[in-house]
Amino acid sequence: MSELEESGERLWAIADGITDTSPETRRQSAHEAFNAGPLVGLLTQLVISTLPEVGQAADDAFKAMRHLRTLVGNGHVVGSAEHRAALAEIHETGDRLQRAMRTDLTRRT
């Protein structure tokens, strides 16, 4: 969860600061921000070590963040309709992942 949050913050910083950068620079910056942390490795570990419901929720949250990466790379800035919709999807999938993880933890205790 924390790595999803950190990836989102890195992408937010890019989307908030987009000015007259070239499309290639924006895409590269978005990809670098997305890949700066261990998100992919953590997702893989989570998917193979927990219940299918948690794995699916984690995959959905990852895909939502990856979609935001693509939008930011394509120049959608903070406040644009596309950026707001992507953030709403990230919040929804993140909340679902948290609920699934909590359910899994309570089953194990």
Side-chain angles (χ1 to χ4, degrees):
M1 291 305 303
S2 63
E3 187 53 40
L4 279 170
E5 180 69 27
E6 289 177 26
S7 291
E9 289 297 320
R10 290 188 296 266
L11 290 169
W12 179 278
I14 294 167
D16 194 37
I18 291 175
T19 54
D20 292 329
T21 59
S22 71
E24 181 56 36
T25 300
R26 283 194 307 266
R27 280 191 294 279
Q28 181 178 352
S29 295
H31 278 270
E32 287 172 0
F34 183 78
N35 293 320
L39 184 59
V40 174
L42 290 172
L43 171 69
T44 302
Q45 290 175 8
L46 185 61
V47 168
I48 65 173
S49 66
T50 192
L51 296 173
E53 303 86 52
V54 177
Q56 183 62 57
D59 192 50
D60 292 345
F62 175 79
K63 287 177 182 174
M65 189 62 68
R66 191 173 59 199
H67 178 67
L68 177 63
R69 176 207 62 198
T70 300
L71 287 175
V72 170
N74 287 333
H76 295 282
V77 298
V78 171
S80 69
E82 295 85 356
H83 193 270
R84 284 193 314 270
L87 288 179
E89 180 182 9
I90 286 169
H91 291 144
E92 188 275 322
T93 58
D95 289 347
R96 192 161 29 94
L97 175 56
Q98 282 183 346
R99 286 191 306 273
M101 292 172 77
R102 286 186 182 119
T103 299
D104 182 31
L105 289 172
T106 57
R107 287 179 186 161
R108 294 177 189 220
T109 57

